[in-house]
């Protein structure tokens, strides 16, 4: 069998375990050297995407959102110093990573709550409000998929 199938046999939720390990590395670092900052970057960018994927597939994103909130609570200052290149022009920079992570958490949470309440227009409005602040198109596309699946 392929590697992903073998991992799934041993670890029921390998992506969640991966994020738990990233967060553990972030927690353990008193001062974050370059390597620790890469962990923060990965968590800030990838966690909202995975949380949105879970929501789109009918899963529960809340454990991942809680990990993102913990990362913000313990490393906000460093996240605020970090930026991604701006995909619009390639020369500028994005919002700081703390804002991108907050937007990703907020978008997934608000869209999810609206869908659980059966309020599709509220879910669409939440996505429209957060979309300009998300770090790339993936999170928004997955949240659109979740909204479409709610029909």
């Amino acid at each position: 069998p392929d590697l992903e199938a073998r991992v799934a046999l041993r670890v029921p939720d390998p992506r969640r375990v991966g994020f738990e390990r990233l967060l553990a590395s972030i927690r353990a670092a008193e001062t974050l050297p370059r390597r620790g900052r890469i962990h923060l970057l990965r968590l800030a960018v990838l966690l909202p995407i995975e949380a949105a994927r879970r929501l789109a597939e009918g899963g529960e994103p809340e454990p991942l959102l809680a990990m993102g909130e913990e990362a913000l609570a313990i490393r906000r200052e460093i996240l605020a110093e970090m930026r991604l290149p701006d995909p619009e022009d390639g020369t500028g920079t994005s919002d700081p990573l703390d804002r991108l992570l907050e937007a990703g958490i907020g978008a997934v949470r608000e869209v999810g709550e609206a869908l659980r309440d059966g309020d599709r227009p509220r879910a669409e409005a939440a996505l429209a409000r957060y979309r300009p602040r998300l770090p790339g198109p993936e999170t928004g596309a997955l949240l659109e998929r979740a909204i479409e699946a709610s029909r």
Side-chain angles (χ1 to χ4, degrees), residues 28-48:
E30 287 299 316
T31 60
L32 283 170
R34 187 177 276 321
R35 184 178 220 173
R37 288 178 183 247
I38 289 172
H39 294 328
L40 273 173
L41 172 71
R42 288 179 178 157
L43 186 131
V45 173
L46 297 176
L47 186 136

Side-chain angles (χ1 to χ4, degrees), residues 61-134:
E62 196 55 43
L64 293 179
L65 300 179
M67 285 183 221
E69 288 171 333
E70 182 178 346
L72 282 167
I74 63 176
R75 299 291 184 235
R76 179 179 295 277
E77 190 173 302
I78 294 169
L79 283 163
E81 295 171 359
M82 299 173 68
R83 296 174 184 264
L84 296 173
D86 187 342
E88 293 297 316
D89 64 18
T91 59
T93 58
S94 70
D95 285 337
L97 285 184
D98 65 324
R99 291 188 194 155
L100 296 177
L101 181 54
E102 280 180 332
I105 291 168
V108 173
R109 183 168 283 137
E110 286 188 35
V111 168
E113 288 172 356
L115 293 177
R116 278 189 293 282
D117 292 344
D119 191 345
R120 187 168 181 218
R122 193 173 98 217
E124 290 170 340
L127 177 56
R129 189 172 60 255
Y130 280 104
R131 179 171 251 140
R133 297 181 288 156
L134 297 174

Side-chain angles (χ1 to χ4, degrees), residues 7-35:
V7 169
L9 290 174
R10 293 192 176 102
V11 180
D13 190 347
R15 288 184 177 149
R16 180 174 174 178
V17 169
F19 284 111
E20 287 170 350
R21 289 183 180 161
L22 278 175
L23 186 57
S25 296
I26 292 164
R27 275 189 214 117
E30 287 299 316
T31 60
L32 283 170
R34 187 177 276 321
R35 184 178 220 173

